[in-house]
Amino acid sequence: TKNSFLMAVARDAPHGSYPKYMDSVQSYWTVVGNNGGLREALINEEGMIEVSKGGFSIEPFLYTNGKLLTWADGSHGQSLERDYLPIPTVERRHENLALAITAFDDNGRLYVRYRVSNLSRSSTTVSLYLAARPLQVNPPWQFLNNPGGVSQIASLAVDRGRLRVDSMFITTRPAAARVGAATFDNGDITEFVRRGSMPAANRVSDPRRLASGALQFRLELAPSGVEDVWINVVRHASLSFTLPPSELLANAIASWISELNQISIELPPSASRVTNTLKSTLAYILINRDAAAIQPGSRSYERSWIRDGSLTSAALLRLGHATEVGEFIDWYVTFQYPNGKVPCCVDHRGADPVPEHDSHGQLIYLIAEFFRYIKDRSVLDRNWPHVVRAVAYIDSLRQSRMTDEYRSGDKRAYFGLVPESISHEGYSAKPMHSFWDDFFILRGLKDAAFIAGVLGHDAEQHRFAEMRDDMRKSILESFRLTMAKHGIDYLPGSVELGDFDATSTTVGIAPGGELRNLPSDAVRRTFDRYWEQVSTRRTSTTWDAYTPYEHRTVGTFVRLGQKDRALKLLEDFFHDQRPPAWNHWAEVVWRDPKTPKFIGDMPHTWVGSDFIRSVMDMFVYEREEDDALVIGAGIPEAWVTESPGVKLERVPTYYGTLAYSMSGTPNEVRVRIEAGIEVPAGGVVLRSPFARPIRAAVIDGRPATISSPDEVIVRRLPTEVTLRYR
């Protein structure tokens, strides 16, 4: 393959001539794009930029005092603009020079600023080379959907100071001093720039499709001087630099600030990583979506799953981004089959026919969840036919497991469930009767009855409620039989295997809302066992990898009242952000960061959606079992006692827009909950941020009843609550 061929070439070239991954060492990256854009660039931690999916890359080199400086010759640091905006920078530092690469997108056009700084007290001359190469940022072991590694460049041409790479143009400010191009047989571009020279050709066609070229900028730097070189990568040269580049960057910064601050969560400085990652993750979700299609990635997972989309939509709704969710619903329902089947996945080829039986419930849940936040009945009216057809298909699936064959014997545990499927990635080799599927089916039936009730369809509401109750009964009975058959004390992931999978079981708690109905001892043992496993992972060197989908367990521990575990898990997950400053996770985390193996997309935004939903649970969540709004269940004492405390504004909930503040001392906490929500039947449950029991509570100046050692129930807003601990 071309990857193997070029890796062999790289081994014989001077170190640094080729990307780090050519040494079989993992390189990490992030995405550059705009909200809903169809083309995303990647930039890796060494400053190499892949201009589009599967496209060529632009790699910077410095030449000074007869020496070429590559990524391998300097140290690297990464950052985001204002620590959270999706405008990444890579800074490379050498002894007397620094190079900072900043990339951003403006309306689908990629811009990059290369800032060269003289760190010495003497004037110096340096050449900046920007090499266009047939290599991706995505490493070769990224095999899924879009193989990484070698790309292709068939032709290069110098065009009025610009470099045309196949059908793309690289334009610059200021103009390049020299531009050159070479076929692979003439030599890779690094062979020329290592000598401080350029190819003589200004137009080449390469039958190997491995051409390369470069733009050279000669910079005269005063002591401590700084010079900027800007490039723009577009399909039409006329689109380049419509405004001064610094103004374009300022506009991109302002646009993202507005986009990412629909809600406000203010925490003390020690917790800045939480708020920065929330905002960055929201940005990455918006960038990974293509028009209406919510997608978990820009390369390996540039497809739209209803599974990922429904849970990512739930995260978007909680951060005030309902518009994107509405667009996703309107787009996805058009792919539903006439018999009501909801496709698991849609991409440019259309709907995927593979049956994954969680999908039907997920679509209904998504429609209901959207309504619960925006309260627009027209959404339910418009999608009612899709709900009815999905329920009919669910019923047909369940009926196939309600025949006499499943009423006794070994198959009794399958009775009333949906058939086996591969929706759970762990069962992709062989379909299983997955409780993940059944929890989502139950969620869908619950929401179908809810939607029917809102719309006044009494007959359907009654029928769907009966199906809901029967589905719950089937799940609970199957759990009982499966646990007995396999001799286990935890909730299994599937009937056949009796396997342990706490991240699957979380779905029954959120969004499933079944905590009250599940066997409490089995729930406790499931998450105790999970905690034991992750605790071992923190200190062991025997594990290889895990997936940060486990973020969803943080919210589960919050809902179980085990805040200390939730906070410790969150801290551990932050440890696996690579690089830390870019505020995201890959789909797979390998224990050794250098491991050259598949990691999925970076950022992987279904993983990111689990992070958002869990962190938001720490501040506020709806408790379905008693129709209550719970606030503060995951807030630690340190955030409250450190100035300025905790403050939330404009946070959407099922009951309206929430705003509250919480601050205090080790002995007293003051909470102000503003008007703006309708107090639910179960009240607003205020959970204590301290591990110590509440000794006294005062609501609006009057002594209040403490409902349990760690919570107070509020029935009227606005209100001021004081919690005292001595």
Side-chain angles (χ1 to χ4, degrees):
T1 66
K2 283 188 175 181
N3 275 322
S4 299
F5 170 66
L6 275 192
M7 289 180 85
V9 171
R11 283 195 293 271
D12 292 333
H15 190 49
S17 297
Y18 284 84
K20 185 168 72 174
Y21 64 66
M22 286 295 185
D23 295 332
S24 295
V25 176
Q26 186 66 266
S27 175
Y28 297 96
W29 63 92
T30 193
V31 69
V32 180
N34 64 342
N35 185 358
L38 302 181
R39 293 174 59 243
E40 297 85 38
L42 302 180
I43 179 171
N44 70 13
E45 57 187 337
E46 292 81 45
M48 174 181 172
I49 293 174
E50 178 185 317
V51 301
S52 62
K53 182 179 179 180
F56 69 91
S57 66
I58 300 172
E59 189 170 3
F61 298 88
L62 295 175
Y63 186 87
T64 184
N65 297 324
K67 181 180 180 182
L68 186 70
L69 302 175
T70 75
W71 65 265
D73 299 305
S75 61
H76 296 84
Q78 298 79 29
S79 61
L80 293 177
E81 185 72 32
R82 304 204 180 189
D83 298 326
Y84 74 90
L85 300 178
I87 300 174
T89 292
V90 173
E91 183 174 22
R92 197 166 86 204
R93 295 180 70 89
H94 303 280
E95 183 178 356
N96 292 316
L97 290 171
L99 171 63
I101 305 107
T102 299
F104 67 98
D105 182 286
D106 177 72
N107 293 320
R109 303 166 197 165
L110 174 64
Y111 292 89
V112 188
R113 182 186 67 195
Y114 294 88
R115 174 164 287 175
V116 182
S117 301
N118 180 5
L119 305 180
S120 74
R121 297 179 180 178
S122 303
S123 297
T124 189
T125 300
V126 60
S127 283
L128 169 67
Y129 289 94
L130 301 180
R133 312 182 73 185
L135 298 165
Q136 301 175 59
V137 158
N138 221 19
W141 43 84
Q142 292 293 110
F143 58 85
L144 187 63
N145 188 32
N146 180 73
V150 177
S151 179
Q152 64 178 29
I153 297 178
S155 66
L156 288 138
V158 179
D159 180 358
R160 287 177 290 182
R162 299 182 292 255
L163 182 62
R164 179 174 57 77
V165 185
D166 290 333
S167 61
M168 306 284 284
F169 289 86
I170 303 175
T171 63
T172 73
R173 294 288 187 276
R178 288 194 295 172
V179 186
T183 65
F184 182 80
D185 289 343
N186 293 146
D188 181 75
I189 193 65
T190 59
E191 297 176 31
F192 294 89
V193 300
R194 193 170 286 280
R195 299 191 298 266
S197 65
M198 288 284 278
N202 60 14
R203 182 181 299 270
V204 299
S205 294
D206 190 343
R208 295 179 182 268
R209 297 180 178 269
L210 294 175
S212 58
L215 302 105
Q216 179 189 12
F217 303 86
R218 292 194 181 103
L219 307 175
E220 300 291 339
L221 297 175
S224 303
V226 176
E227 293 286 345
D228 288 345
V229 171
W230 297 80
I231 70 167
N232 176 216
V233 184
V234 290
R235 292 194 178 275
H236 303 285
S238 62
L239 298 175
S240 180
F241 294 108
T242 54
L243 292 171
S246 57
E247 189 173 335
L248 289 167
L249 176 56
N251 290 344
I253 291 171
S255 177
W256 277 117
I257 288 173
S258 174
E259 192 84 74
L260 303 181
N261 289 279
Q262 302 297 306
I263 73 166
S264 174
I265 299 177
E266 297 180 25
L267 301 178
S270 64
S272 61
R273 196 165 186 178
V274 174
T275 49
N276 287 338
T277 302
L278 270 177
K279 294 176 183 180
S280 298
T281 302
L282 170 59
Y284 297 137
I285 289 172
L286 299 177
I287 290 171
N288 276 346
R289 67 189 287 262
D290 283 0
I294 293 173
Q295 301 174 154
S298 66
R299 298 296 190 268
S300 294
Y301 293 101
E302 195 179 34
R303 309 178 74 196
S304 188
W305 282 265
I306 186 61
R307 171 173 56 250
D308 305 42
S310 64
L311 294 176
T312 302
S313 291
L316 287 171
L317 289 166
R318 297 181 77 169
L319 296 185
H321 278 260
T323 299
E324 291 84 359
V325 177
E327 292 172 356
F328 178 66
I329 294 172
D330 290 343
W331 173 74
Y332 206 93
V333 295
T334 64
F335 296 97
Q336 187 179 26
Y337 293 95
N339 66 353
K341 175 185 174 181
V342 177
C344 64
C345 183
V346 176
D347 60 19
H348 65 278
R349 298 167 296 186
D352 193 327
V354 174
E356 297 189 1
H357 295 318
D358 54 348
S359 59
H360 328 296
Q362 286 156 353
L363 178 64
I364 302 171
Y365 159 69
L366 173 58
I367 293 167
E369 191 77 347
F370 187 55
F371 172 79
R372 283 189 280 260
Y373 279 97
I374 70 165
K375 300 297 188 292
D376 182 355
R377 180 184 162 122
S378 69
V379 174
L380 301 185
D381 284 322
R382 185 167 67 249
N383 288 291
W384 175 245
H386 297 289
V387 172
V388 172
R389 289 204 297 272
V391 171
Y393 190 73
I394 288 171
D395 189 42
S396 71
L397 292 174
R398 293 191 67 227
Q399 290 299 327
S400 72
R401 293 297 182 270
M402 297 176 78
T403 62
D404 289 343
E405 178 184 1
Y406 296 95
R407 293 184 181 275
S408 60
D410 290 342
K411 293 187 176 181
R412 179 69 183 84
Y414 303 138
F415 185 84
L417 306 182
V418 293
E420 60 268 54
S421 89
I422 62 168
S423 59
H424 185 296
E425 292 182 348
Y427 311 140
S428 57
K430 182 180 180 181
M432 298 289 168
H433 286 82
S434 166
F435 288 109
W436 168 282
D437 286 353
D438 298 306
F439 277 137
F440 271 115
I441 291 298
L442 176 57
R443 179 73 264 172
L445 292 173
K446 291 163 73 173
D447 285 334
F450 165 74
I451 292 169
V454 172
L455 296 179
H457 299 308
D458 295 342
E460 287 86 352
Q461 181 186 17
H462 179 72
R463 182 164 62 89
F464 295 168
E466 285 187 335
M467 295 172 66
R468 171 201 67 201
D469 295 343
D470 190 63
M471 183 71 197
R472 180 183 291 118
K473 179 180 177 182
S474 295
I475 292 173
L476 294 176
E477 178 64 5
S478 182
F479 271 138
R480 186 185 68 81
L481 293 171
T482 301
M483 292 170 68
K485 176 183 177 180
H486 292 281
I488 56 178
D489 59 357
Y490 54 81
L491 295 176
S494 68
V495 178
E496 290 90 336
L497 301 177
D499 48 325
F500 178 75
D501 186 359
T503 58
S504 174
T505 305
T506 59
V507 175
I509 296 172
E514 290 296 303
L515 181 58
R516 177 177 61 181
N517 299 312
L518 293 172
S520 58
D521 287 346
V523 169
R524 177 185 54 78
R525 182 58 194 139
T526 298
F527 291 99
D528 282 351
R529 177 170 173 154
Y530 170 74
W531 177 252
E532 292 164 6
Q533 288 185 351
V534 295
S535 298
T536 300
R537 188 170 70 204
R538 286 197 296 270
T539 57
S540 170
T541 59
T542 59
W543 63 281
D544 283 330
Y546 79 95
T547 172
Y549 291 129
E550 293 183 24
H551 268 298
R552 60 182 72 123
T553 61
V554 171
T556 299
F557 280 121
V558 169
R559 291 170 184 259
L560 291 174
Q562 299 178 26
K563 178 171 61 178
D564 288 348
R565 289 182 173 181
L567 291 167
K568 180 57 180 171
L569 276 175
L570 190 62
E571 179 184 336
D572 289 346
F573 291 137
F574 277 135
H575 179 73
D576 293 324
Q577 289 182 325
R578 297 172 180 171
W582 282 346
N583 300 341
H584 60 51
W585 291 269
E587 183 192 24
V588 181
V589 170
W590 295 90
R591 181 176 59 82
D592 181 356
K594 296 181 180 180
T595 300
K597 292 185 179 180
F598 180 80
I599 59 173
D601 276 299
M602 290 196 79
H604 191 285
T605 45
W606 188 25
V607 165
S609 77
D610 286 329
F611 166 79
I612 291 173
R613 292 183 300 109
S614 281
V615 168
M616 292 307 295
D617 281 353
M618 295 168 66
F619 299 110
V620 56
Y621 69 88
E622 295 86 1
R623 194 163 66 193
E624 185 175 348
E625 61 197 60
D626 60 349
D627 191 19
L629 187 68
V630 182
I631 66 174
I635 296 176
E637 179 175 348
W639 295 0
V640 176
T641 55
E642 181 184 345
S643 180
V646 175
K647 185 177 182 180
L648 278 70
E649 294 180 331
R650 306 184 302 279
V651 175
T653 74
Y654 292 177
Y655 310 104
T657 302
L658 175 68
Y660 74 83
S661 60
M662 184 182 295
S663 62
T665 68
N667 296 320
E668 183 176 283
V669 173
R670 298 172 299 281
V671 183
R672 169 77 183 181
I673 309 173
E674 305 295 342
I677 64 170
E678 179 182 343
V679 177
V684 175
V685 178
L686 171 60
R687 298 294 299 272
S688 169
F690 295 173
R692 291 163 287 151
I694 302 169
R695 297 299 183 190
V698 176
I699 299 179
D700 294 331
R702 298 180 179 180
T705 301
I706 302 170
S707 56
S708 75
D710 64 349
E711 70 179 33
V712 172
I713 299 177
V714 173
R715 302 286 182 182
R716 184 179 61 190
L717 299 178
T719 188
E720 292 187 358
V721 181
T722 301
L723 306 178
R724 294 178 178 144
Y725 298 88
R726 55 178 294 179

